[in-house]
Amino acid sequence: MILELTPNITAAEKSALVVALQEQRCDFRELPDTDVQRIGIMNRAIREPDFFNRLPGVARTVPVRTPYKLVSRQMHPQDTLVRVGNVLVGGDRITVIAGPCAIESREQALTIAHLVKKAGAILFRGGAFKPRTSPYSFQGLEEEGLKILAEVRETYGMCVVTEMTAPSQAEIMQKYVDVVQIGARNMQNFELLKVVGRMGKPVLLKRGLSGTIEEWLMSAEYILSEGNPHVMLCERGIRTFEPYTRNTLDLTAIPVLRNLTHLPIIIDPSHATGIREKVSPMARAAIAAGADGLMIEVHHEPDKALSDGPQSLYPLQFGQLMRDLYVIAPVVGKQLDFGYLDKARAVALRSRGANDSRQKAAFMGRVGTFSHKACLQYFGGEVEALPVASFRAVFAAVKSDTADFGVIPLENSLSGSIHENYDILNDYDLSIIGEIKLRIMHHLMTNPGVDIGDIRRVLSHPQVFGQCRHFLEQHDWELVSVSDTAAAAQRVADGRNTGDAAIASQVAAEEYGLKLIAENIETNPRNYTRFVIIGKSPLYTGPIDKTSLICSTRNEPGALYETLKIFAENRINLIKLESRPIQGEPWRYMFYMDIEADLGADALKPVRKKLEQKTDYLKILGTYGEVPEAPPGEGAESLQV
Ligand code: PEP
Ligand code: MN
């Protein structure tokens, strides 16, 4: 049962309420704030709701009908993000955990860790205590294996995940590892669950071979009820009548869990399928279905692996899969960020240098805009998102050190460049240090309880009305233009007018407590906006494969051609060219270009020099990148796929 407290409850009333609950022997805890303060009572039917309703400070009681309480969405409406080192599992960034089934030797672990990190893995996995069906199979290196895992963390800066099979291992697990895995065979080993609940370390709780979703959530409840909220759920296939795969991957668990619980959802396609060639298709499907992350077995010599070789990907295949996921994730509003680990570490270091104050990234608008979402996706929760009133204010904030970074939209795949921002980029001496592309999805939303038939007016940004034209044409609504989509959502929420609806993002709906009436109403679903990150210096030394620049050429025949020829001669791909009028010089133009090369690299000094000679103004806006080079093709033919 949930007690919703009265808005004006005093500290004295609250203390009295706590005493009253203690007297009744209630097992209760304060729940995270929604609009109201809430207390959750775990015991079933301890007193009638009326009893609690009469206690001073209680506004109303809400029954919780599921047997699991702390893991339920009802008790905790916001998604939980589980912190593992500098990384947050859950939210908009995909976490990929990769490594061998078992740690077999120091060389094996370090070799695989190096390869999976290069391909973009965020956490490293490897079993040291292996729960094997046969007592004669390799049982793991035990503590020796944990020491190797700790060395992997020190060497590669990746936190490590390993399975704990008995309560007696608690102490060495505390010492060496970052995430404790509870294996499928132990999902209902309640003594083990209680111990990891008391350890407080993040837990990856696998679904049992024949565990129902409710049983699985009850197991998670054991861990949370012991005071450890850092739980991730991992679906790894269940046992069915189907013998073609090792288990049957239950992908429906993703949307089912999403409704029932706030905990992050990880999918393990390796144990689910047991067959190497089935792993990547299922991994791609899991991300498309909205999983928060994946756990994948990778081995550089799977034929020699001491366990689960047939289901382990070759490093090359893992690299290819990661690039596929990079493309799929934005379609479902998420991001696979190849720079995640390096960025998170750089942010942590900079924050420490600045007396622990959090780094800030300025964006235009308010919480719930797409600029805000871009900010969250690029920096995750590590950086504080700072809303400011205009695009120019974003640049000013970075220039004055009020913010460390700025996030600004530069172009939309349907409506083209945001010229204002190109012009401001030229005015300031700040660099583009990164970019991120977001799929723009528009939803129609109203206050709770309002039906589509009640709507009379729709509020949003004028560009959004254009992008949702087909949907809007089917209705006879008055369209009211406002400054941004989140402002529309906020006005609808504040107004409480049943005739008003907003078109805005999912984040805005959550932020302002609105209900989605119609989802993805944009006419063209291929609607992406490219944002760039601006700053005074690079955040981290990730891959650089792109340069943005502005130049103007002399007003004479062939001047632009001569400039572009430099790129052609050096086999540099030009990916964007646009002209803008030069302020105060009618009919003269500035050119904005993006090229696929790092113009800051020493090897391209001669190219830069030639550009300077052929232009009369040249400004490099920034060199940046996000995707590591494709893994080399050689050896692919030897893959047994
Ligand atoms: C493993 O992750 O290596 C493992 C043994 O998994 P599961 O418990 O899902 O079988
Ligand atoms: Mn395994």
Side-chain angles (χ1 to χ4, degrees), residues 101 125 130-131 163 181-185 206 236 246 268 271 295 297 308:
C101 178
R125 65 148 286 146
K130 293 304 302 173
E163 180 165 352
Q181 176 175 324
I182 297 297
R185 289 151 196 84
K206 287 203 158 187
R236 44 77 72 207
R246 182 174 173 180
D268 169 354
H271 294 89
M295 177 181 247
E297 287 186 344
D308 287 349

mmCIF file of all heavy atoms in Angstrom, residues 101 125 130-131 163 181-185 206 236 246 268 271 295 297 308, ligand 1:
data_model
loop_
_atom_site.group_PDB
_atom_site.id
_atom_site.type_symbol
_atom_site.label_atom_id
_atom_site.label_comp_id
_atom_site.label_asym_id
_atom_site.label_seq_id
_atom_site.Cartn_x
_atom_site.Cartn_y
_atom_site.Cartn_z
ATOM 1 N N CYS A 101 33.106 -16.288 -21.653
ATOM 2 C CA CYS A 101 32.259 -16.962 -20.671
ATOM 3 C C CYS A 101 33.047 -17.072 -19.369
ATOM 4 O O CYS A 101 32.588 -16.632 -18.324
ATOM 5 C CB CYS A 101 31.868 -18.343 -21.188
ATOM 6 S SG CYS A 101 30.882 -19.250 -19.992
ATOM 7 N N ARG A 125 32.960 -8.762 -18.905
ATOM 8 C CA ARG A 125 32.438 -9.907 -18.175
ATOM 9 C C ARG A 125 33.428 -11.074 -18.223
ATOM 10 O O ARG A 125 34.268 -11.143 -19.126
ATOM 11 C CB ARG A 125 31.086 -10.371 -18.731
ATOM 12 C CG ARG A 125 31.128 -10.914 -20.152
ATOM 13 C CD ARG A 125 30.092 -12.020 -20.384
ATOM 14 N NE ARG A 125 30.488 -13.259 -19.742
ATOM 15 C CZ ARG A 125 29.656 -14.128 -19.208
ATOM 16 N NH1 ARG A 125 28.366 -13.910 -19.240
ATOM 17 N NH2 ARG A 125 30.101 -15.238 -18.647
ATOM 18 N N LYS A 130 32.329 -20.957 -12.078
ATOM 19 C CA LYS A 130 31.419 -21.338 -13.152
ATOM 20 C C LYS A 130 30.428 -22.411 -12.691
ATOM 21 O O LYS A 130 30.850 -23.485 -12.244
ATOM 22 C CB LYS A 130 32.216 -21.888 -14.353
ATOM 23 C CG LYS A 130 33.079 -20.885 -15.068
ATOM 24 C CD LYS A 130 32.334 -19.666 -15.572
ATOM 25 C CE LYS A 130 31.190 -19.949 -16.512
ATOM 26 N NZ LYS A 130 30.424 -18.711 -16.827
ATOM 27 N N PRO A 131 29.141 -22.129 -12.798
ATOM 28 C CA PRO A 131 28.141 -23.143 -12.450
ATOM 29 C C PRO A 131 27.971 -24.096 -13.634
ATOM 30 O O PRO A 131 27.247 -23.793 -14.571
ATOM 31 C CB PRO A 131 26.869 -22.308 -12.229
ATOM 32 C CG PRO A 131 27.061 -21.092 -13.081
ATOM 33 C CD PRO A 131 28.524 -20.899 -13.313
ATOM 34 N N GLU A 163 30.130 -13.751 -11.935
ATOM 35 C CA GLU A 163 29.082 -14.473 -11.199
ATOM 36 C C GLU A 163 29.546 -14.882 -9.806
ATOM 37 O O GLU A 163 30.674 -15.354 -9.614
ATOM 38 C CB GLU A 163 28.647 -15.713 -11.996
ATOM 39 C CG GLU A 163 27.567 -16.494 -11.257
ATOM 40 C CD GLU A 163 26.830 -17.517 -12.110
ATOM 41 O OE1 GLU A 163 27.027 -17.545 -13.347
ATOM 42 O OE2 GLU A 163 26.046 -18.286 -11.517
ATOM 43 N N GLN A 181 27.097 -10.898 -10.526
ATOM 44 C CA GLN A 181 26.061 -11.545 -11.333
ATOM 45 C C GLN A 181 25.467 -12.706 -10.537
ATOM 46 O O GLN A 181 26.193 -13.493 -9.933
ATOM 47 C CB GLN A 181 26.701 -12.063 -12.620
ATOM 48 C CG GLN A 181 25.776 -12.840 -13.523
ATOM 49 C CD GLN A 181 26.462 -13.209 -14.830
ATOM 50 O OE1 GLN A 181 27.255 -12.429 -15.361
ATOM 51 N NE2 GLN A 181 26.194 -14.381 -15.340
ATOM 52 N N ILE A 182 24.126 -12.763 -10.540
ATOM 53 C CA ILE A 182 23.464 -13.946 -9.996
ATOM 54 C C ILE A 182 23.012 -14.746 -11.209
ATOM 55 O O ILE A 182 22.231 -14.258 -12.040
ATOM 56 C CB ILE A 182 22.248 -13.558 -9.115
ATOM 57 C CG1 ILE A 182 22.714 -12.733 -7.901
ATOM 58 C CG2 ILE A 182 21.480 -14.801 -8.668
ATOM 59 C CD1 ILE A 182 23.631 -13.477 -6.946
ATOM 60 N N GLY A 183 23.525 -15.931 -11.350
ATOM 61 C CA GLY A 183 23.267 -16.741 -12.544
ATOM 62 C C GLY A 183 21.859 -17.313 -12.561
ATOM 63 O O GLY A 183 21.168 -17.346 -11.525
ATOM 64 N N ALA A 184 21.480 -17.776 -13.756
ATOM 65 C CA ALA A 184 20.127 -18.294 -13.954
ATOM 66 C C ALA A 184 19.795 -19.394 -12.942
ATOM 67 O O ALA A 184 18.691 -19.445 -12.403
ATOM 68 C CB ALA A 184 20.013 -18.835 -15.377
ATOM 69 N N ARG A 185 20.794 -20.245 -12.696
ATOM 70 C CA ARG A 185 20.534 -21.380 -11.796
ATOM 71 C C ARG A 185 20.323 -20.938 -10.357
ATOM 72 O O ARG A 185 19.849 -21.695 -9.523
ATOM 73 C CB ARG A 185 21.679 -22.387 -11.884
ATOM 74 C CG ARG A 185 21.678 -23.120 -13.217
ATOM 75 C CD ARG A 185 23.068 -23.557 -13.638
ATOM 76 N NE ARG A 185 23.076 -23.904 -15.052
ATOM 77 C CZ ARG A 185 23.212 -23.014 -16.033
ATOM 78 N NH1 ARG A 185 23.356 -21.720 -15.763
ATOM 79 N NH2 ARG A 185 23.191 -23.393 -17.288
ATOM 80 N N LYS A 206 20.095 -12.590 -13.269
ATOM 81 C CA LYS A 206 19.628 -13.311 -14.458
ATOM 82 C C LYS A 206 18.302 -13.997 -14.188
ATOM 83 O O LYS A 206 17.998 -14.364 -13.045
ATOM 84 C CB LYS A 206 20.684 -14.319 -14.881
ATOM 85 C CG LYS A 206 21.888 -13.637 -15.519
ATOM 86 C CD LYS A 206 22.624 -14.600 -16.391
ATOM 87 C CE LYS A 206 23.452 -13.897 -17.426
ATOM 88 N NZ LYS A 206 24.028 -14.856 -18.361
ATOM 89 N N ARG A 236 18.034 -14.160 -20.291
ATOM 90 C CA ARG A 236 19.054 -14.985 -20.942
ATOM 91 C C ARG A 236 18.462 -16.228 -21.558
ATOM 92 O O ARG A 236 19.135 -17.221 -21.766
ATOM 93 C CB ARG A 236 20.173 -15.322 -19.958
ATOM 94 C CG ARG A 236 19.704 -15.741 -18.597
ATOM 95 C CD ARG A 236 19.189 -17.144 -18.501
ATOM 96 N NE ARG A 236 20.289 -18.090 -18.593
ATOM 97 C CZ ARG A 236 20.174 -19.332 -19.049
ATOM 98 N NH1 ARG A 236 18.977 -19.808 -19.430
ATOM 99 N NH2 ARG A 236 21.210 -20.143 -19.095
ATOM 100 N N ARG A 246 19.651 -23.185 -27.714
ATOM 101 C CA ARG A 246 19.946 -23.677 -26.361
ATOM 102 C C ARG A 246 18.785 -23.364 -25.412
ATOM 103 O O ARG A 246 18.385 -24.160 -24.580
ATOM 104 C CB ARG A 246 21.234 -22.994 -25.888
ATOM 105 C CG ARG A 246 21.704 -23.414 -24.523
ATOM 106 C CD ARG A 246 23.078 -22.785 -24.237
ATOM 107 N NE ARG A 246 23.488 -23.042 -22.872
ATOM 108 C CZ ARG A 246 24.623 -22.623 -22.329
ATOM 109 N NH1 ARG A 246 25.477 -21.924 -23.062
ATOM 110 N NH2 ARG A 246 24.923 -22.890 -21.087
ATOM 111 N N ASP A 268 20.816 -11.051 -22.778
ATOM 112 C CA ASP A 268 21.983 -11.899 -23.042
ATOM 113 C C ASP A 268 21.621 -12.869 -24.171
ATOM 114 O O ASP A 268 21.040 -13.928 -23.929
ATOM 115 C CB ASP A 268 22.334 -12.659 -21.748
ATOM 116 C CG ASP A 268 23.372 -13.771 -21.965
ATOM 117 O OD1 ASP A 268 23.743 -14.051 -23.113
ATOM 118 O OD2 ASP A 268 23.795 -14.366 -20.953
ATOM 119 N N HIS A 271 23.674 -16.830 -24.143
ATOM 120 C CA HIS A 271 23.126 -18.006 -23.476
ATOM 121 C C HIS A 271 21.721 -18.315 -23.980
ATOM 122 O O HIS A 271 21.271 -19.449 -23.918
ATOM 123 C CB HIS A 271 23.138 -17.831 -21.955
ATOM 124 C CG HIS A 271 24.534 -17.771 -21.418
ATOM 125 N ND1 HIS A 271 25.221 -16.589 -21.311
ATOM 126 C CD2 HIS A 271 25.391 -18.750 -21.023
ATOM 127 C CE1 HIS A 271 26.435 -16.836 -20.855
ATOM 128 N NE2 HIS A 271 26.575 -18.137 -20.676
ATOM 129 N N MET A 295 24.469 -8.337 -22.841
ATOM 130 C CA MET A 295 25.633 -9.046 -22.323
ATOM 131 C C MET A 295 26.009 -10.091 -23.375
ATOM 132 O O MET A 295 25.187 -10.948 -23.729
ATOM 133 C CB MET A 295 25.307 -9.715 -20.997
ATOM 134 C CG MET A 295 26.485 -10.511 -20.489
ATOM 135 S SD MET A 295 26.118 -11.334 -18.951
ATOM 136 C CE MET A 295 27.195 -10.460 -17.870
ATOM 137 N N GLU A 297 28.958 -12.833 -25.053
ATOM 138 C CA GLU A 297 30.209 -13.579 -24.897
ATOM 139 C C GLU A 297 31.061 -13.445 -26.163
ATOM 140 O O GLU A 297 30.574 -13.634 -27.285
ATOM 141 C CB GLU A 297 29.910 -15.045 -24.580
ATOM 142 C CG GLU A 297 29.401 -15.166 -23.147
ATOM 143 C CD GLU A 297 29.197 -16.591 -22.650
ATOM 144 O OE1 GLU A 297 29.151 -17.527 -23.478
ATOM 145 O OE2 GLU A 297 29.063 -16.757 -21.432
ATOM 146 N N ASP A 308 31.475 -22.549 -23.332
ATOM 147 C CA ASP A 308 30.614 -21.764 -24.226
ATOM 148 C C ASP A 308 31.294 -21.211 -25.482
ATOM 149 O O ASP A 308 30.876 -20.159 -25.998
ATOM 150 C CB ASP A 308 29.940 -20.631 -23.434
ATOM 151 C CG ASP A 308 28.843 -21.176 -22.520
ATOM 152 O OD1 ASP A 308 28.484 -22.367 -22.669
ATOM 153 O OD2 ASP A 308 28.351 -20.421 -21.666
HETATM 154 C C1 PEP B 1 27.151 -16.900 -17.738
HETATM 155 O O1 PEP B 1 26.804 -15.715 -17.844
HETATM 156 O O2 PEP B 1 28.274 -17.299 -18.070
HETATM 157 C C2 PEP B 1 26.163 -17.888 -17.250
HETATM 158 C C3 PEP B 1 26.526 -19.001 -16.687
HETATM 159 O O3 PEP B 1 24.915 -17.493 -17.490
HETATM 160 P P1 PEP B 1 23.512 -18.142 -17.052
HETATM 161 O O4 PEP B 1 23.474 -18.102 -15.573
HETATM 162 O O5 PEP B 1 22.526 -17.220 -17.708
HETATM 163 O O6 PEP B 1 23.471 -19.531 -17.625
#
